[in-house]
Amino acid sequence: MTLLNEKQSPLARFVARDPNLFRLIIMLVAVFAVMGALRPTIFLRPSNLVSMAKQFPEYGIMAIGISICMITGGIDLAVVGTANLAAITTARFLIASVPKGSPGGYTLSMILMGILIALTVGALCGALSGWLISRFRIPPILATLGTHQLFTGLAIVITEGRPVSGLPILFSRLGNKTLAGFLPVPLLLYALAAIIIGIMLSKTRFGKQVYLVGTNATAARFAGLNVKNIIMRTYVTSGMLASLSGLIMMARVNSAKADYGASYTLQCVLIAVLGGVNPDGGFGTVGGVTVAVVILQLLSSGLNMFENVSNFYRDVIWGGVLITVLITNHYLTEHKRRKALKSASEGCGAPWGNLGGVAPPGST
Amino acid sequence: MNTTLQKMSRRTEPYILGAIIALSLLIQARSGQFFTGNNLVDLARSMTVPGLFAVGAMIVIVSGGIDVSFPAIASLSMYITTKILLAADYSGPVILAYIIGGVLGLLMGLFNGVLIGYFRFPTLVVTLGTSSLFIGIMQGVLAARELPVPPAMFDHGTAKLFSAYNTQLGLSSDMPVQILLLVAVLAVTAFLLRSTMLGRGIYAIGGDEVSAKRAGFNVFGTKMFIYGYVGVIAGIAGIARACMMRNAHPTNLQGIEMIIIAAVVLGGTRVTGGVGTLTGTMFGMALMTIMSNSLILLGIPTYWQKVFTGAIIIIGTGVSARQAMAKRAKPRKASPSPSKAPQSQEASK
């Protein structure tokens, strides 16, 4: 089944290569169709589509960061803390360096400087998590939980818990701009991040190493890879992506605060898992994560169309969707494994190795 | 004697106890208010509910899993229970509230158990999902808002074992009766972990699931028990909390899970499973509680609290990770006197 056959149509080949992505796309189309059919006048309005495209990038970019860490078998729970700390640092810098009424060119150059500062803060935060994980072998979930508290704590100490506002108006104007009437800047940034990380994971040596570390860290070490260095780089990447999210968030609300986006952490983990990233490491693609982000944005924007349905149904749906997807994938894998076993016993030698070793459920 | 000392130095409890003592002495030296009756009673009060959660979280972590859904379970079962009792205009003894809360917690825990035990999904992912589901049911379907608690729960919440007075500051604190609940749960769990096959099974599964199965443990049944038991504890803890707060607040437990897990790991429970003690867990919880309650006695502004919590988590987990590393690098020779207590270093081998 996974053998690529020349006679197969391109679609069949695509399905065979990444069945999970294919299922996600079907789900995306289904959700879109249902929402569009139920509320055609509101949901399909261009302004609604544009506003959805403005909303998902800020947590979508974080989800990509978490996904890279999950592919190595870790997790980064510090993304939100990193995002806020980076945003607050940049906000403080911009407020201090750009007095009211500064010329546009000067403001713009300071904003670029601010973005660089944010990315640096993000990289440093990621480096701290990565250092704790690779050097001291602290389990990633705890190390990043600790650094999350630390970063959020620092952000609270810097701001004394108050929002930092009074940013140069140009910043939020740039961040909320819609290019050519349909392309919001956040979406553009998301696309940029997704493409860069996508290429990094699928085409570069570093990407291959990330998957290898996630599949079997010991084997990777014996294969001569510098596992510590690779893990370090994944968390630095995640931190930089998180700081980018922080900037988008800061542009949207025109201020920075220590506790913005507190619910994003779990949301991002859900997205990553829904997108087919294996929390035990070794599997996952940026494409899958992207489709999952869009599905969840469609669901939550769709729910907003119904005035009498509380926003909190979103949580029910997310939890429900996650569990349903897990169970469906389980049975599909099971089915595929049986089929593969059967064809293997017929002497075809189908590649079933990666599915082997999973005992059928309830065999205990 | 020498071996006992050596064994002690390998454990986490002595270090964490040392940290607690050092911190207490520091606070006492700076403020003179630490070893006062009312401060200690206040600490016990703020440790009661987190302590209950920590027992549950520890069992799951010992079995090699991780559960982030217990605050959601606690909130939802507490909320439904309060709602039922209010609707029925109930005025009988408070035990009924605990029974309903416990049963609801059990059902939700078993739901986790099926997904984890039968389908073998990763525990973090499952409990994230069910957590979202339970919170959504509470806030979406039930449209939860703050509720007053029924009279039985209110009276139970105001009941006290004794009061401690601080004559110097003119403050008094009541020791809540719910602390007995924590003591009871600790006693039952300690018996379970030390003296029953089921308890040994929990350590065995956490040490190595395949070996545990080969050794004849019913892995699925044990997992169902673990998550069911944790659900019951969460349900009861939710009720206890509502009683102590004297109102049923749907969301104020959110976010507590990570602090609890951190406290459990700080107490020497290994995240990879198989190792952990109740004593260590309670020490860890005590250190976290002292940290968050007493910073103000040290004259440190409360907004530094998160920085300190983060630092404690990093340092604490770093130390135990290093210990685990050292142990891996230098495997212990056959232990002269295998310990019977559920410290279970042997289970991790």
Side-chain angles (χ1 to χ4, degrees), chain A residues 114-202:
Chain A
I115 294 173
L116 279 182
I117 290 176
L119 290 174
T120 313
V121 171
L124 287 175
C125 290
L128 178 63
S129 304
W131 183 64
L132 292 170
I133 293 164
S134 59
R135 177 73 183 77
F136 294 96
R137 305 253 189 104
I138 305 181
I141 183 168
L142 287 163
T144 55
L145 170 65
T147 50
H148 172 69
Q149 297 277 343
L150 194 68
F151 302 151
T152 310
L154 283 176
I156 294 176
V157 170
I158 295 172
T159 59
E160 295 183 342
R162 287 191 287 269
V164 183
S165 49
L167 293 165
I169 194 79
L170 184 64
F171 185 82
S172 67
R173 256 193 219 148
L174 277 179
N176 293 314
K177 213 176 174 63
T178 305
L179 303 173
F182 68 95
L183 195 62
V185 169
L187 181 65
L188 202 65
L189 291 173
Y190 180 86
L192 198 68
I195 290 170
I196 292 175
I197 302 296
I199 290 176
M200 192 188 88
L201 283 178
S202 59

Side-chain angles (χ1 to χ4, degrees), chain A residues 75 77 132 135-139 141-143 145-147 149-150 152-154 156-157 160 266 269-270 273 279-280 310 312-313 315-316 318-320 322-323 326-327 330-331 359-364, chain B residues 66 111 115 118-122 124-126 128-130 132-133 135-137 139-141 213 218-220 257-259 261-262 265 271 303-304 306-307 309-311 313-314 317-318 321-322 325 328:
Chain A
I75 195 166
L77 298 178
L132 292 170
R135 177 73 183 77
F136 294 96
R137 305 253 189 104
I138 305 181
I141 183 168
L142 287 163
L145 170 65
T147 50
Q149 297 277 343
L150 194 68
T152 310
L154 283 176
I156 294 176
V157 170
E160 295 183 342
L266 299 192
V269 178
L270 282 179
V273 173
D280 294 332
S310 148
F312 291 112
Y313 273 94
D315 290 326
V316 183
W318 284 30
L322 181 78
I323 292 167
L326 282 174
I327 294 179
H330 173 84
Y331 281 117
S363 64
T364 46
Chain B
I66 197 147
F111 184 57
L115 293 172
Y118 179 80
F119 288 104
R120 293 153 190 262
F121 298 143
L124 175 68
V125 175
V126 167
L128 273 175
T130 54
S132 174
L133 195 65
I135 289 174
I137 289 175
Q139 299 198 280
V141 183
K213 199 171 156 190
N218 178 348
V219 174
F220 172 72
E257 64 273 14
M258 288 309 181
I259 303 295
I261 292 170
V265 176
V271 204
Y303 51 74
W304 276 91
K306 275 212 158 130
V307 177
T309 325
I313 297 175
I314 292 171
T317 52
R322 286 217 68 102
M325 238 160 96
R328 237 177 289 142

Side-chain angles (χ1 to χ4, degrees), chain A residues 230-311:
Chain A
I230 295 164
I231 288 181
M232 189 82 181
R233 277 153 75 190
T234 47
Y235 285 89
V236 169
T237 314
S238 170
M240 289 172 76
L241 289 170
S243 63
L244 187 60
S245 286
L247 291 177
I248 297 177
M249 224 172 353
M250 179 164 97
R252 180 171 60 85
V253 290
N254 202 14
S255 63
K257 193 168 179 248
D259 60 359
Y260 281 154
S263 64
Y264 283 166
T265 319
L266 299 192
Q267 232 163 286
C268 290
V269 178
L270 282 179
I271 289 168
V273 173
L274 191 62
V277 180
N278 184 341
D280 294 332
F283 294 95
T285 59
V286 174
V289 173
T290 303
V291 180
V293 171
V294 176
I295 291 176
L296 290 179
Q297 182 61 49
L298 288 179
L299 276 175
S300 70
S301 294
L303 277 183
N304 282 342
M305 315 275 135
F306 301 88
E307 308 78 24
N308 47 3
V309 173
S310 148
N311 230 341

Side-chain angles (χ1 to χ4, degrees), chain B residues 247-266:
Chain B
N247 74 359
H249 194 290
T251 54
N252 66 5
L253 278 176
Q254 275 176 34
I256 199 178
E257 64 273 14
M258 288 309 181
I259 303 295
I260 305 279
I261 292 170
V264 170
V265 176
L266 206 55

Side-chain angles (χ1 to χ4, degrees), chain A residues 69-105:
Chain A
C69 299
M70 283 170 82
I71 292 173
T72 64
I75 195 166
D76 189 354
L77 298 178
V79 281
V80 175
T82 308
N84 285 323
L85 189 59
I88 285 169
T89 321
T90 306
R92 275 291 169 91
F93 167 77
L94 286 179
I95 291 167
S97 65
V98 184
K100 275 212 166 64
S102 300

